[in-house]
Amino acid sequence: MKFSIGGSLKLAFRPWVEGLENVPAEGPAILASNHLSFSDSFFLPAVLDRKVTFIAKAEYFTSPGVKGRMTAAFFKGVGQLPVDRSGARGAGEAAIKAGIDVIESGGLFGIYPEGTRSPDGRLYRGKPGGLARVALATGAPVIPVAMIDTEKIQPPGKVIPKLMRPGIRIGKPLDFSRYHGMEGDRFILRSVTDEVMYEIMKLSGQEYVDIYATAAKRRIADAEKAEKAARAEAEKAEKAKKSQRPAA
C-alpha cells in the first residue's frame, strides 16, 4: 500500500512536510493529529517511512458483497484495525486496547483526539479517553501532528479529490511519563489531552472551539433541519395565500 497508493499520492499531490525528524526511526510512539478529511489517514502514512496503525469502525470490515470485501481488504492493507462502535463505552475500551497493543509491539499508533472530522475546518476539543489513556498506560511519547488544507482537497461527501498541495506539520514529542499509571484520574486525562490539543493548534493555526466536534455537528444538523422546516412552512403559507386570491 505504501509503494502503490503512497507513491501515487506523493507524486500527484506533492504534500509538503515539516518536522519529519520528530518521528522516531524505531520504537513506539503515538501520532495525535487534527482531523479535517477522510484523506488524512492516507497522506500522513504516505510521507512516513514507517507503518502507522489507525483504528476504523468495524463496518468497514464486515460489509457484505464484492464492494464490502474490497473495502475490508483495502483497510486491512493500509493497516487499520476494526473497532466495534455499537456501544460508546465498549468502543472506547476497544480503541484503547488496540492502541496499547500497537504500542507494546513497538509500532506507531495514529489517533484523532477530536474523535471525528471537523465540520468546518476549526479545531475542536479533544476527547480525553483514548489518547491520554494509551499514553499514560504505555509511557509512549505523543507526537502532535497538524494536517493542513486536506479539507479543501476532499470535503465531506466529495469522492473525487481536488489536486492541490496539502501540508503536514509534525511537532516535537511530548513526554507524559510523569503521569504514568494515573490513567484512572479524569483530571489528569483532561490535562494531558488539552496539552496535546494546544500543541496541535499551534502547529495548524486553526481556530480552537472548546466543545466536542460531535456536539458541533449536532448543532449544525439541527440548524439545517430548522431552516428546512422554516422554508417548507414559508412555501406552504405562500401557496395558501395564492389559493385565496380572487380570480381575475
Side-chain angles (χ1 to χ4, degrees), residues 1-22:
M1 287 296 179
K2 250 186 198 306
F3 285 107
S4 58
I5 295 176
S8 300
L9 282 177
K10 288 193 287 186
L11 183 64
F13 293 92
R14 300 180 299 115
W16 56 265
V17 188
E18 295 176 1
L20 201 57
E21 69 278 3
N22 292 321

Side-chain angles (χ1 to χ4, degrees), residues 100 104 132-139 180-181 183:
I100 291 174
E104 289 183 344
R133 286 183 61 185
V134 173
L136 300 189
T138 63
H180 183 64
E183 60 270 21

Side-chain angles (χ1 to χ4, degrees), residues 220-236:
I220 292 171
D222 290 343
E224 290 176 348
K225 185 178 179 180
E227 184 181 353
K228 185 177 179 180
R231 285 200 305 267
E233 191 65 29
E235 290 173 1
K236 182 179 179 181

Side-chain angles (χ1 to χ4, degrees), residues 127-165:
K127 294 190 173 182
L131 166 66
R133 286 183 61 185
V134 173
L136 300 189
T138 63
V142 178
I143 302 173
V145 177
M147 306 302 295
I148 312 291
D149 290 336
T150 52
E151 82 282 10
K152 298 175 183 176
I153 292 175
Q154 192 175 24
K158 185 174 182 180
V159 178
I160 300 176
K162 178 182 179 182
L163 279 177
M164 61 178 291
R165 293 189 75 185

